[in-house]
Amino acid sequence: MNWLNLLILLALAAGHCELLAALLNRLHALRIEGRMLRHIRHVEDACMAAFPFVLVWWIGLRGPRLLHDGRWTDLHPLWIAYLSVCGVGVASLAFSTVRWLTRRPPAALEANHSTTIDVAERLGKPPVGVGPFRFLTRLPGNESFLIEVSDKSFALPRLPAEWDGLSILHVTDLHYNGTIDKPYFEEVFAIAAETPADLVVFTGDLLDEKHLVEWIPETLGRLEAPLGKYFILGNHDWYLGDAPIRRAMRDLGWIDVAGRTVAIEHVGRTLALAGSERPWMGRQPEDLARAEEGAFRVLLSHTPDNIGWAKARGVDLMLSGHNHGGQVVLPVLGPICSPSKHGVRYAGGAFFEAPTLLYVSRGVSGDHPLRWNCKPELTRLVLRAPVESPVESLSLRG
């Protein structure tokens, strides 16, 4: 047995899987119907699972017999060409792994206090319903019912001093489909209702089953905030037809900011809050660029892929979901699946790309009830104004 060649073949198989995952991630970032994406994903999953066995059998044990006495020069040119492409996948996997291992929170993060709540324990049993993929909830290590409730404080350079301590409760990606049952969400929103915030926002993917619109009043409908509650929808809402979902949210007092900007007056200053459901629905809120001078700009965007658009328009804070933190985060390698044109770069967490702080929530649930090393998330962001240095203070007084 040629063990070195076996290791090389397995590495190339990993590169093959990396390339397929990268392709699928980017397809999910496009305006493609959910049914078509499911078919593509099934084909991709089969290709991922089969390729290592085909590789070992077809060129390791048969054909050129690389696991015995064969040579790489005996490979067919088509195999050489494709395995060279797989080598690119290996390099890509190595790069993303190093980026994951060396990632650090942005300097803007001043404090992070988190508590994990076992919702199944609170309820006395796992809140599993009759929806699809019930078997996933029984897999060992699944964290789908362990929600992380966090307070994260960020210092933002353009936040008015009068707003120091302004808080935003960020909720996203509920994915009501019946697999995780209603009591889970009722408990989550009981927790959310006990988490006071000045502003509440929801950034999309509410339903996976139309009839579960009836769950909204006893979940999202429980939230209130002094400065209001604002929402956009996501690609899963687009798959179902978004009109009934919008109507249900508006009837409960939620303000739809998709494709537009609203001005919120607070302590004599203006917060310009805009929403984007692109690329699936509507248009970008171009009126955000025309917000009054000095307004603090916040963008709700279902996908973090709109970060370039936000930076170009001077957005101070962008809140997103969609990527679920990857849902499965592997040891060392990190997340593999993230439906973004940037792959796993913005799978979850905080990123500062001047002038914009982007926060990508892992979401409350998912269409597949599987979470490994990636708990669901409910987050309150506390915004801090920059601290004036003694030198700056003296110069201003002088």
Side-chain angles (χ1 to χ4, degrees), residues 10-334:
L10 293 177
L12 292 172
H16 163 85
C17 292
E18 164 73 4
L19 292 174
L20 286 182
L23 175 62
L24 190 64
N25 285 338
R26 285 154 179 82
L27 286 175
H28 275 78
L30 303 177
R31 195 175 187 272
I32 301 175
E33 288 282 355
R35 183 177 300 177
M36 176 63 71
L37 287 173
R38 282 196 297 273
H39 292 323
I40 294 172
R41 187 168 61 244
H42 293 157
V43 172
E44 181 235 28
D45 290 345
C47 290
M48 277 190 176
F51 188 73
F53 298 99
V54 170
L55 201 61
V56 169
W57 174 256
W58 199 258
I59 68 175
L61 301 176
R62 308 274 300 204
R65 292 171 52 85
L66 292 180
L67 297 184
H68 294 291
D69 53 357
R71 297 173 301 176
W72 289 92
T73 53
D74 296 334
L75 284 173
H76 190 280
L78 290 178
W79 268 115
I80 293 174
Y82 187 68
L83 293 181
S84 298
V85 173
C86 291
V88 174
V90 173
S92 173
L93 182 60
F95 173 78
S96 63
T97 299
V98 170
R99 183 176 60 193
W100 171 256
L101 294 175
T102 58
R103 179 185 164 194
R104 296 292 179 268
L109 179 64
E110 290 192 339
N112 180 15
H113 304 289
S114 299
T115 301
T116 297
I117 297 174
D118 188 333
V119 176
E121 185 177 89
R122 279 200 176 194
L123 294 173
K125 63 178 182 178
V128 181
V130 297
F133 310 113
R134 297 179 63 195
F135 71 96
L136 292 176
T137 64
R138 296 191 291 269
L139 293 179
N142 192 344
E143 299 175 319
S144 287
F145 304 130
L146 299 177
I147 189 156
E148 184 174 277
V149 182
S150 299
D151 267 352
K152 299 180 187 292
S153 295
F154 293 97
L156 298 180
R158 293 188 62 254
L159 187 78
E162 301 93 329
W163 290 2
D164 186 55
L166 184 79
S167 57
I168 302 175
L169 180 63
H170 181 201
V171 184
T172 192
D173 292 87
L174 299 176
H175 290 278
Y176 295 166
N177 64 15
T179 303
I180 294 182
D181 209 358
K182 185 180 179 182
Y184 168 79
F185 298 102
E186 291 176 324
E187 190 66 27
V188 166
F189 280 97
I191 296 166
E194 296 169 359
T195 308
D198 297 304
L199 195 72
V200 178
V201 300
F202 175 70
T203 53
D205 276 2
L206 205 169
L207 301 184
D208 285 329
E209 293 289 341
K210 285 184 179 180
H211 71 280
L212 296 183
V213 69
E214 65 189 24
W215 288 9
I216 298 177
E218 295 172 75
T219 53
L220 279 165
R222 301 179 63 174
L223 300 185
E224 298 293 341
L227 298 182
K229 44 191 185 181
Y230 303 84
F231 81 97
I232 57 170
L233 298 179
N235 56 305
H236 282 251
D237 305 307
W238 172 63
Y239 300 156
L240 297 178
D242 59 290
I245 305 172
R246 289 188 199 280
R247 187 162 52 250
M249 291 289 282
R250 290 169 179 162
D251 288 346
L252 292 167
W254 285 80
I255 298 170
D256 187 353
V257 294
R260 69 189 186 103
T261 303
V262 298
I264 304 171
E265 301 300 325
H266 180 52
V267 196
R269 306 295 292 270
T270 301
L271 189 155
L273 179 67
S276 173
E277 297 170 345
R278 298 288 297 160
W280 301 283
M281 294 179 282
R283 59 186 180 182
Q284 298 287 27
E286 295 294 349
D287 55 346
L288 181 60
R290 299 189 295 275
E292 71 176 64
E293 186 176 352
F296 187 80
R297 292 175 168 86
V298 177
L299 176 69
L300 309 184
S301 172
H302 181 61
T303 173
D305 287 356
N306 289 313
I307 179 63
W309 186 93
K311 288 163 56 180
R313 284 148 184 86
V315 168
D316 297 287
L317 175 64
M318 175 174 161
L319 301 176
S320 299
H322 186 56
N323 292 344
H324 299 191
Q327 286 202 203
V328 172
V329 177
L330 301 177
V332 182
L333 296 178

